[in-house]
Amino acid sequence: MNMHTTAVMAPPPPKGLEQMKLSVVMMRDIMLKTMFRKNVDTASEVAKAICLPLQVTQELIDIAREQKLLEATGTLNANNGGEMGFQLTDAGKSRTQDALQQSEYYGAMPVPLDVYREQVKRQSIRNIMITREQLTNAMGHLILPNDLLSNLGPAVSSGRSILMYGPPGNGKSSISNGIRDAMGDKIYVPRAIEYAGQVITVYDPIVHSAVEAQVDDPNQLRRRTAFDTRYVKCQRPTVITGGELSLDMLDLVYNPTARTYQAPLQLKSTGGIFIVDDLGRQAEPPQSLVNRWIVPLEEAKDILALQSGEKFEVPFDTLVIFSTNFHPNEIFDQAALRRIFYKIKIDGPNQENFLKIFALVANKKGVPLQEEALIHLLQSKYPTIDNIYANYQPVFLIDQMIAICEFEGIPNQMTPELIDRAWANMFVKDEHIVK
């Protein structure tokens, strides 16, 4: 599926209660709790609050009225185009209190796990085809060796796992972000999913950036939403974790007060990218972190556990990018390495690319290049560190020179003397401190 031609197929809105695949009692209770907590009283307000089409909401209201849990208020609501208002009866209030004891969850009706599975297939990360042009555009601000994109492209398009390794300060994190930016399409993220009567919240504004909702055209005779609003249309998500990542962050999070679950990071990143930055800096050994991912990566499914201990499968549809400053052989055994599909070394620039980056940064920051200073940098300074260039150094050196110029009250410039002062801040001398 080429993302230029086909947009992700949207989840269709449910047409009736029987299509919902949720227990009627659960749906009715969520509606009652929502009316109680949000103080909404007309069918169209309730429909909006529980994210269901009006006719499906009306069916739920009718059931609750038959069971004497709701009654019509008898007043037509003038603000809402003369719609009938509804309120909880005494029986309705006591039923709502019981339901809140069981779970505080209210608002958007959850999507059953099996229904969500179908949507994951429609928008799978493995359907993505990224062209060289898209990757180049997304990485436009980085100066990268040509063969790097040739290796990255197929790796990203496979939607498997990638290990990026190499010395620090060469943009492994920027490259991970560039990969994210190259994925231009949108997917649908459920606000919550349901399994075995338990609600698991998935949509998280910190991880998911929602796309502007379509505005209904008021001139249309029938207002209709193009997709099931229990989902939020979003950019493909990116979760970035670093040294703080621990294995328990990959488990369901249970909130004992609300009696609901929150999806773990890898489930929130479904259809997108999960970046493990700085692998080897976590409290857990890298080998055990990778072992935790191995089955999900190979079988495209993950196993989560409820409070009761019951285990169940969820889709695992995520491009996992591991990034480390260590050599892979230092932190993994061969079995783990075999299971990571693509291993891409990200080295520092050669002298020519280093100079290109240096000139670009200087130009962008308004520091005129000076030949004598550059010769001094390349011939006197870099030989002291075995001529090892890194992508972060131009920005660091130029920012240091600008700071000195501002402090001294002179125009931005570079001179051999300024290079020396900037260089001194980039490395700490190995001196033994006398205690």
Side-chain angles (χ1 to χ4, degrees), residues 162-345:
I162 300 175
L163 171 67
M164 290 197 264
Y165 66 99
N170 286 310
K172 290 188 289 288
S173 307
S174 317
I175 291 167
S176 306
N177 294 333
I179 292 173
R180 175 196 62 195
D181 298 344
M183 298 181 174
D185 60 345
K186 313 286 181 283
I187 63 167
Y188 297 86
V189 176
R191 297 171 199 271
I193 56 179
E194 172 273 343
Y195 171 76
Q198 301 296 320
V199 177
I200 301 164
T201 58
V202 180
Y203 173 72
D204 175 350
I206 297 170
V207 170
H208 301 110
S209 39
V211 181
E212 284 308 301
Q214 292 158 303
V215 180
D216 278 328
D217 179 356
N219 302 326
Q220 272 187 314
L221 285 174
R222 293 178 59 209
R223 286 171 62 101
R224 57 185 212 90
T225 311
F227 65 90
D228 184 343
T229 54
R230 291 178 295 166
Y231 292 82
V232 184
K233 190 178 186 182
C234 296
Q235 308 283 357
R236 286 192 179 267
T238 306
V239 171
I240 302 178
T241 62
E244 78 289 355
L245 177 66
S246 60
L247 286 174
D248 57 8
M249 289 162 87
L250 307 176
D251 296 332
L252 277 176
V253 184
Y254 183 66
N255 178 332
T257 324
R259 296 188 180 76
T260 53
Y261 292 87
Q262 194 186 11
L265 293 171
Q266 73 279 19
L267 189 53
K268 289 180 183 176
S269 71
T270 300
I273 307 183
F274 191 106
I275 296 170
V276 182
D277 217 355
D278 265 347
L279 188 66
R281 302 253 176 264
Q282 291 76 8
E284 325 261 355
Q287 182 77 41
S288 54
L289 278 174
V290 170
N291 287 348
R292 169 66 182 80
W293 296 104
I294 278 173
V295 171
L297 284 167
E298 291 189 345
E299 300 184 8
K301 59 184 187 205
D302 194 9
I303 293 168
L304 298 175
L306 297 171
Q307 282 292 99
S308 62
E310 183 185 349
K311 292 188 161 62
F312 63 104
E313 280 178 13
V314 291
F316 185 85
D317 185 69
T318 304
L319 171 67
V320 183
I321 300 177
F322 300 102
S323 155
T324 182
N325 299 333
F326 294 98
H327 191 282
N329 294 339
E330 289 175 35
I331 53 174
F332 294 127
D333 65 19
Q334 289 309 305
L337 271 180
R338 269 203 309 279
R339 293 184 140 123
I340 296 178
F341 253 68
Y342 294 89
K343 302 160 198 64
I344 298 175
K345 183 160 197 235

Side-chain angles (χ1 to χ4, degrees), residues 12-20 53-57 59 230:
K15 291 202 165 52
L17 273 189
E18 75 292 340
Q19 272 194 7
M20 295 286 298
L54 190 56
Q55 71 269 27
V56 184
T57 306
E59 284 183 63
R230 291 178 295 166

Side-chain angles (χ1 to χ4, degrees), residues 114-130:
D114 286 340
V115 175
Y116 172 51
R117 245 185 215 126
E118 294 308 306
Q119 185 57 29
V120 172
K121 281 183 196 147
R122 291 185 200 120
Q123 58 195 27
S124 171
I125 189 87
R126 299 196 177 182
N127 296 342
I128 271 192
M129 302 299 272
I130 285 194

Side-chain angles (χ1 to χ4, degrees), residues 301-426:
K301 59 184 187 205
D302 194 9
I303 293 168
L304 298 175
L306 297 171
Q307 282 292 99
S308 62
E310 183 185 349
K311 292 188 161 62
F312 63 104
E313 280 178 13
V314 291
F316 185 85
D317 185 69
T318 304
L319 171 67
V320 183
I321 300 177
F322 300 102
S323 155
T324 182
N325 299 333
F326 294 98
H327 191 282
N329 294 339
E330 289 175 35
I331 53 174
F332 294 127
D333 65 19
Q334 289 309 305
L337 271 180
R338 269 203 309 279
R339 293 184 140 123
I340 296 178
F341 253 68
Y342 294 89
K343 302 160 198 64
I344 298 175
K345 183 160 197 235
I346 298 190
D347 255 331
N350 57 16
Q351 190 182 70
E352 179 195 359
N353 277 347
F354 171 82
L355 281 171
K356 269 191 207 166
I357 299 169
F358 198 89
L360 267 179
V361 175
N363 184 22
K364 194 168 153 192
K365 295 187 179 266
V367 180
L369 290 172
Q370 194 220 18
E371 196 178 353
E372 194 191 349
L374 281 175
I375 290 171
H376 177 66
L377 180 63
L378 298 179
Q379 292 187 353
S380 308
K381 293 292 166 198
Y382 272 97
T384 65
I385 57 160
D386 299 330
N387 293 316
I388 292 172
Y389 300 95
N391 283 324
Y392 79 93
Q393 293 161 349
V395 177
F396 185 94
L397 292 167
I398 288 162
D399 282 349
Q400 291 278 339
M401 288 190 273
I402 292 172
I404 297 167
C405 292
E406 284 173 353
F407 176 70
E408 304 288 2
I410 54 175
N412 284 351
Q413 55 194 273
M414 61 177 70
T415 62
E417 187 244 352
L418 285 170
I419 292 270
D420 284 342
R421 286 174 70 178
W423 185 269
N425 285 328
M426 198 157 68

Side-chain angles (χ1 to χ4, degrees), residues 12 50 60 101 109 130 138 160 229 358 401:
I50 62 176
L60 276 177
Q101 289 295 307
M109 208 56 75
I130 285 194
R160 305 299 281 262
T229 54
F358 198 89
M401 288 190 273

